[in-house]
Amino acid sequence: MDSLGISKLDLKRQNRMQILRQLRNYGPVSRIDIAHTLHITKAAVTIITNEMIREGILCELGEQASENGKISRGRKKILLDIQPSWKLVVGIAIRSNWLDVGLSTLHGATVEHHSVPIDPDVSFEEIVTQISQIYRDIIYKNAVKPEMLLGTGVSIDLSHFETCGVRREKSGYVSELLVTRLEEIGCGPVVCVELTEGIAIAESDFPRTFPSLFNFAVLQMGGRFTGCVSIQQDICYGAHGRCCDFGSISLGSGSTKAPARARLSRKAIGEQLRALRTQRLSPALNTQSMDNPPRAEWIFCRSGFSPEDAAVRQYFDRIKEDYISLLQMAVALYDPEQLIIYPDGSVMEALSQAIAVINAQYGAEVVRLSRFDETNLYLTGAAAAVRQFFTTRGGMTETKGEFPEESAK
């Protein structure tokens, strides 16, 4: 194998990674089923999994239940699963006006997290200070020792890329400045991802039910209209890094034709509502909002809103039609298992109605809202850290590029 450029260490790492992915994607599995799925001998699977059990990475859950109540003959299968508390992981989400920092298990179960508002024009030092305060508080209250931490994942909205010094390379997103500062705080190894990429990883790797999603797209609405495509759980960037750039898709016709991000952004919606107010075309909305423009925008964008003014209703319906067109194009272009929407300042009632229209057309839930929002967005960073520092490394903390037991010899 060494003559072919594949060392025993590489093969061991690969086998461990495949086993962890199998368990992550499908839940508890027996050794014989792992061997059958991965085309590895049962003896090899037994050796590898027993080693991982000794290390505390895997655990045995007991015998697999018989199918249809039948009594099985021979030795029953013993189910294996990832030990979720083997290590804890820190997740950080930096979105346009919120910062979310939390601690979770390897399965994405929340230990504790805190969110604080931040100014859209917040400085880098202010972001680091806020992260440091929340991180130290969580670590202290939960008595977390350094050896208990796997690492930290940070998912960052595009609006804060420049502030945090983030740039994209072929290998992914890089921010030496942010990584250095977080490592100084004690966050351990750090990985950075763009927010929609973090959502995609979390939707895939922290599933509520099994099996995981494999081929899907995530679309961030309302803000920068960024997107992310996951093919066989790998992020696809496209030949020029513009894969899933839905914000550039033209909507409308004639003089109103414009890119999606220009017609459907929160800024564009606020400007249009102020124009209707100036023209005295939104008396009912003005009354609801007590003549407060920001509150009128909040009311217009919230779930359950039903326009009473004719002009407001017309604008609401136009937005809904734009959403329908955008979602139809996305589903047709990518043919995903699901198109997952992170609303981020959308007109929620119009978006919900548009999603219902698309799902009715297909007779299935092909479009849905993301499971990750302001209540648990930090998990998008945590999922990136678990994938980077746990799954792809076969559950091993590397020292100088080697497994600990190898480097100790």
Side-chain angles (χ1 to χ4, degrees):
M1 288 187 293
D2 289 330
S3 63
L4 298 175
I6 303 174
S7 67
K8 292 181 180 179
L9 184 61
D10 291 332
L11 184 60
K12 181 179 182 180
R13 188 200 315 269
Q14 180 71 16
N15 288 338
R16 290 171 65 115
M17 180 190 73
Q18 288 182 318
I19 290 170
L20 290 178
R21 291 187 65 172
Q22 176 81 358
L23 293 168
R24 182 196 69 194
N25 293 336
Y26 299 100
V29 183
S30 69
R31 292 175 176 84
I32 192 167
D33 289 334
I34 291 173
H36 177 74
T37 302
L38 301 182
H39 305 290
I40 304 173
T41 66
K42 185 176 180 299
V45 170
T46 298
I47 292 171
I48 295 170
T49 55
N50 285 350
E51 179 183 64
M52 296 172 81
I53 289 172
R54 289 194 301 271
E55 294 165 358
I57 296 171
L58 301 184
C59 59
E60 291 184 341
L61 300 182
E63 295 179 349
Q64 185 175 19
S66 302
E67 297 181 5
N68 302 321
K70 296 180 180 179
I71 299 176
S72 59
R73 296 181 179 180
R75 189 174 180 180
K76 292 185 177 180
K77 297 177 179 178
I78 303 297
L79 295 178
L80 300 176
D81 200 3
I82 295 169
Q83 177 60 263
S85 58
W86 175 67
K87 294 280 186 180
L88 297 175
V89 62
V90 176
I92 301 170
I94 306 173
R95 51 180 292 204
S96 56
N97 57 350
W98 281 93
L99 173 67
D100 192 17
V101 182
L103 187 69
S104 83
T105 68
L106 297 177
H107 282 343
T110 296
V111 176
E112 185 175 353
H113 84 109
H114 296 284
S115 300
V116 294
I118 57 175
D119 190 278
D121 298 320
V122 65
S123 70
F124 175 74
E125 289 301 324
E126 289 172 321
I127 290 175
V128 172
T129 299
Q130 288 275 21
I131 291 174
S132 178
Q133 291 174 349
I134 298 173
Y135 169 78
R136 294 182 191 280
D137 181 60
I138 290 175
I139 294 300
Y140 174 75
K141 288 198 299 184
N142 292 279
V144 178
K145 299 178 181 179
E147 61 269 20
M148 297 167 62
L149 284 178
L150 176 71
T152 298
V154 189
S155 61
I156 310 173
D157 186 82
L158 275 176
S159 59
H160 289 295
F161 265 37
E162 184 175 353
T163 301
C164 295
V166 181
R167 68 180 189 278
R168 188 170 71 189
E169 297 183 347
K170 290 184 178 180
S171 58
Y173 293 92
V174 177
S175 174
E176 288 93 349
L177 181 61
L178 182 60
V179 169
T180 299
R181 293 299 298 276
L182 292 182
E183 288 179 345
E184 289 173 354
I185 293 170
C187 295
V190 179
V191 60
C192 297
V193 295
E194 192 271 326
L195 182 59
T196 52
E197 181 177 326
I199 292 172
I201 296 172
E203 287 283 357
S204 172
D205 295 3
F206 287 166
R208 281 182 175 174
T209 57
F210 294 102
S212 299
L213 286 173
F214 286 84
N215 304 297
F216 61 96
V218 174
L219 175 60
Q220 179 185 9
M221 308 280 274
R224 299 255 179 156
F225 280 84
T226 56
C228 178
V229 172
S230 178
I231 300 176
Q232 288 298 300
Q233 298 184 328
D234 287 329
I235 305 301
C236 176
Y237 298 104
H240 304 95
R242 295 192 295 269
C243 185
C244 211
D245 181 15
F246 289 103
S248 299
I249 294 177
S250 294
L251 299 172
S253 59
S255 61
T256 65
K257 188 173 184 179
R261 62 171 54 94
R263 285 173 64 96
L264 295 173
S265 69
R266 192 65 178 260
K267 179 181 178 182
I269 291 169
E271 290 174 351
Q272 182 61 34
L273 291 178
R274 284 190 288 273
L276 293 175
R277 182 173 182 272
T278 300
Q279 299 168 37
R280 299 182 180 180
L281 296 175
S282 57
L285 181 59
N286 295 341
T287 300
Q288 283 181 277
S289 64
M290 296 177 288
D291 285 325
N292 183 315
R295 180 171 173 78
E297 181 183 329
W298 176 80
I299 291 173
F300 183 81
C301 291
R302 72 181 181 182
S303 296
F305 175 67
S306 181
E308 298 177 30
D309 305 301
V312 175
R313 162 62 67 182
Q314 184 178 11
Y315 181 50
F316 178 91
D317 289 342
R318 196 200 85 177
I319 290 175
K320 183 176 76 172
E321 291 304 315
D322 279 350
Y323 284 151
I324 292 173
S325 297
L326 197 61
L327 298 180
Q328 283 176 330
M329 282 188 273
V331 173
L333 282 170
Y334 291 102
D335 188 26
E337 293 175 55
Q338 284 188 324
L339 177 65
I340 298 171
I341 307 300
Y342 177 61
D344 190 29
S346 300
V347 182
M348 289 303 300
E349 184 59 32
L351 180 59
S352 296
Q353 292 180 22
I355 290 173
V357 169
I358 302 299
N359 288 339
Q361 289 176 351
Y362 283 87
E365 190 184 44
V366 295
V367 184
R368 67 168 172 85
L369 295 178
S370 174
R371 294 185 288 109
F372 301 94
D373 53 27
E374 62 273 6
T375 66
N376 60 1
L377 197 63
Y378 86 94
L379 287 173
T380 63
V386 172
R387 179 179 285 195
Q388 177 77 9
F389 302 126
F390 178 68
T391 309
T392 60
R393 294 183 179 181
M396 297 302 298
T397 302
E398 295 176 303
T399 304
K400 297 181 180 181
E402 298 179 317
F403 285 100
E405 67 270 24
E406 295 289 337
S407 58
K409 291 180 180 180

